[in-house]
Amino acid sequence: MKKLLMLLSTALMLGGIASAQKIAFEEYDLENGMHVILHKDHSAPVVVTSVMYHVGAKDDAPNRTGFAHFFEHLLFEGTANIKRGEWMKIVTSNGGTNNANTNDDRTYYYEVFPSNNLELALWMESERMMHPVINEIGVNTQKNVIKEEKRTNYDNRPYGNYLAVVKKNIFKNHPYRNTTIGSMEDIEAATLEEFQAFNKKFYVPNNAVLVVAGDFEKNQAKEWIQNYFGTIEKGETIIKQTFVEEPITQTLKATYVDDNIQTPMILTSYRIPSMKTRDARVLDAISTLLSDGKSSRLYKKIVDDKKLALQIGAFTYSNEDHGMYIIYGLPLGENTTETILKEIDQEIVRLQTDLISEKELQRLENVTDNRFVNNNSTVEGIAENLATYYLLYGDVNLINTEIDLYHSITREEIRAVAKKYLNPNQRLILDYVPSPVEIKN
């Protein structure tokens, strides 16, 4: 009885938090096509100013991979009114922090300042958009930065290239087959004029959303936004290319040798639909069921009970056009990757055959509620979510309603979606192995 009361209390608490955390916002467009979203929160004297551009690794030209990620770095080099090397100094000297990140679909820049520095943040982001300085000095500097990033985060990191290998084999036509960081050969071969043309095409107001979130006065913010962004010239209309991927109808196999590892890893990956679809959300729920926490199906069986693996996991790698569903495992001791794959497949068949229990469904809802609360627990998180839901999903209010979509997932749906996407003839099997040991005579 005590345990039941505790469960009920937890569920009510999460439900109460979820309903209390409805995110209020206002959105509108400037005449140049820039979308603006405002979210007021006076709970702390900070304000987040962010700009998300609808350009990511998928927009890199053939043989020029890595451009979007390169610009994540390059656009900190300076502007007509911010000297080279001064960007970070201005931010830190005014009590702020800032950063940027890039993925396959978008690039995101943001500053967090004390609320009395909102005008400064808006001016800086408008400077970045209006007239960045793109010259040989900045390009050459960032080439060296990105070479080091590639060595550190990919080439010299254990298992650092697994995602690159999976993407290359899962996608045949879509530029998702390339990595975000791209090819160093492509970056080295690019001319200054190509970098300038990329900037002119994508880093324009009608390809961006501006979010201001936190402690600010709305009327003053709107005035500053108009002053700093409203005068920026609209760019040419960007037409996104459509890429068709034929269904995977037979098992794909690949092997990758990583000199940085000693324990092999088995990965199996399935191509899945856009993150905007209901099926993608069901698959996300399935990954939670399989590998979220020590009570999850794969962990409990393969790691805890049978002690076959050091680590096991399942997750969706979600994107705007397509996604991937990836399951991986690292064998323990003398166990093999083949044994782990067999156990994984048994759990998939179980999902495709039997309905999950009501208790498991409730656990999924609890995890979803907790994730929802955590994702919107900071003004920084809210700002990024608002931008993402507008730019990639086309519906800002999903920040409030997506949780209802997850709650509406049924046990029957989970079984049906597992049957639809997670089949042996629809996947890649990747053997990610260490270098063979040389035997000396």
Side-chain angles (χ1 to χ4, degrees):
M1 183 66 179
K2 183 178 179 182
K3 187 175 182 181
L4 176 60
L5 288 172
M6 289 177 66
L7 289 171
L8 286 171
S9 175
T10 301
L12 288 170
M13 180 185 69
L14 288 170
I17 292 172
S19 63
Q21 281 207 344
K22 293 294 183 182
I23 307 302
F25 60 88
E26 178 183 346
E27 55 180 328
Y28 62 97
D29 290 316
L30 300 180
E31 288 187 7
N32 57 17
M34 187 172 194
H35 197 70
V36 179
I37 303 173
L38 305 177
H39 164 69
K40 287 174 55 175
D41 180 353
H42 296 300
S43 61
V46 297
V47 63
V48 177
T49 304
S50 68
V51 178
M52 184 177 285
Y53 294 91
H54 202 174
V55 55
K58 74 177 180 186
D59 300 296
D60 295 337
N63 301 318
R64 288 296 181 266
T65 59
F67 260 48
H69 172 260
F70 194 87
F71 269 81
E72 173 199 321
H73 294 258
L74 187 61
L75 293 187
F76 282 99
E77 278 288 316
T79 75
N81 295 302
I82 301 176
K83 293 181 180 180
R84 184 170 182 269
E86 291 296 312
W87 187 284
M88 300 299 184
K89 293 179 183 178
I90 294 173
V91 173
T92 56
S93 66
N94 284 277
T97 60
N98 74 150
N99 214 328
N101 53 72
T102 310
N103 66 21
D104 289 311
D105 299 310
R106 94 294 181 272
T107 305
Y108 185 63
Y109 301 89
Y110 68 93
E111 290 82 30
V112 184
F113 274 118
S115 52
N116 61 347
N117 278 323
L118 172 58
E119 184 178 14
L120 173 64
L122 290 169
W123 172 72
M124 293 182 75
E125 282 301 334
S126 69
E127 277 287 302
R128 193 199 307 268
M129 180 182 291
M130 193 169 358
H131 39 224
V133 173
I134 300 173
N135 56 26
E136 294 285 1
I137 295 174
V139 167
N140 290 335
T141 298
Q142 294 307 322
K143 282 181 180 179
N144 292 327
V145 171
I146 290 170
K147 285 177 184 176
E148 181 58 30
E149 180 181 345
K150 189 174 187 297
R151 284 191 292 267
T152 302
N153 294 340
Y154 296 85
D155 299 338
N156 296 331
R157 172 176 288 183
Y159 310 101
N161 282 305
Y162 84 89
L163 189 59
V165 181
V166 171
K167 293 175 73 175
K168 183 178 180 180
N169 284 277
I170 281 285
F171 296 107
K172 303 302 180 183
N173 300 314
H174 200 290
Y176 284 161
R177 72 190 310 270
N178 301 316
T179 60
T180 304
I181 201 166
S183 159
M184 293 303 99
E185 290 77 16
D186 289 351
I187 294 295
E188 285 289 354
T191 65
L192 179 61
E193 289 73 23
E194 286 176 305
F195 287 113
Q196 292 170 337
F198 194 84
N199 177 78
K200 183 178 180 181
K201 178 177 181 179
F202 290 108
Y203 297 86
V204 292
N206 47 306
N207 195 46
V209 55
L210 166 70
V211 177
V212 177
D215 182 29
F216 64 93
E217 294 302 323
K218 188 176 291 186
N219 290 337
Q220 180 65 82
K222 287 183 175 181
E223 181 181 334
W224 285 333
I225 289 167
Q226 179 59 38
N227 289 343
Y228 292 116
F229 289 93
T231 58
I232 301 176
E233 186 177 348
K234 182 177 183 178
E236 295 291 329
T237 300
I238 298 170
I239 300 174
K240 297 277 185 174
Q241 188 173 352
T242 301
F243 298 90
V244 177
E245 288 285 351
E246 294 298 324
I248 299 172
T249 57
Q250 59 182 8
T251 303
L252 307 173
K253 293 188 177 182
T255 301
Y256 182 82
V257 177
D258 188 338
D259 295 334
N260 303 306
I261 67 173
Q262 295 180 332
T263 302
M265 178 168 63
I266 187 72
L267 296 103
T268 178
S269 179
Y270 309 78
R271 194 192 305 144
I272 61 175
S274 164
M275 63 189 184
K276 294 180 280 190
T277 63
R278 185 175 179 86
D279 282 358
R281 293 179 172 97
V282 177
L283 285 159
D284 191 40
I286 289 174
S287 69
T288 300
L289 181 73
L290 288 179
S291 72
D292 189 280
K294 293 186 177 181
S295 63
S296 61
R297 287 190 174 190
L298 289 180
Y299 188 94
K300 189 172 187 329
K301 178 183 180 183
I302 300 175
V303 177
D304 200 7
D305 293 345
K306 294 192 174 184
K307 295 179 172 51
L308 300 175
L310 286 165
Q311 189 175 341
I312 200 84
F315 62 95
T316 52
Y317 185 89
S318 298
N319 282 325
E320 188 178 17
D321 301 337
H322 295 280
M324 299 179 295
Y325 190 85
I326 298 175
I327 307 175
Y328 68 92
L330 282 72
L332 175 65
E334 298 299 316
N335 296 298
T336 65
T337 55
E338 290 82 2
T339 300
I340 292 176
L341 182 60
K342 182 179 178 181
E343 296 287 344
I344 290 170
D345 285 347
Q346 287 176 0
E347 286 303 310
I348 296 296
V349 171
R350 183 182 164 203
L351 270 178
Q352 295 170 330
T353 306
D354 303 326
L355 293 177
I356 67 170
S357 68
E358 290 285 358
K359 182 178 179 181
E360 286 177 307
L361 184 64
Q362 183 59 58
R363 177 179 174 274
L364 286 177
E365 291 188 4
N366 292 342
V367 171
T368 300
D369 288 344
N370 187 55
R371 188 181 301 160
F372 172 81
V373 171
N374 289 335
N375 286 345
N376 292 319
S377 63
T378 66
V379 70
E380 295 98 320
I382 290 171
E384 183 169 359
N385 289 335
L386 288 168
T388 300
Y389 282 124
Y390 167 75
L391 199 72
L392 302 185
Y393 289 81
D395 181 2
V396 186
N397 200 43
L398 279 172
I399 197 169
N400 294 314
T401 62
E402 189 175 37
I403 190 172
D404 298 325
L405 295 176
Y406 278 96
H407 281 176
S408 68
I409 293 171
T410 65
R411 298 187 298 156
E412 290 77 12
E413 250 184 314
I414 288 172
R415 182 172 64 183
V417 168
K419 283 182 179 180
K420 184 176 181 180
Y421 296 103
L422 306 182
N423 297 301
N425 66 320
Q426 295 173 290
R427 70 181 177 183
L428 164 73
I429 296 176
L430 170 63
D431 285 308
Y432 200 99
V433 298
S435 296
V437 177
E438 293 185 9
I439 301 177
K440 297 181 180 181
N441 295 326

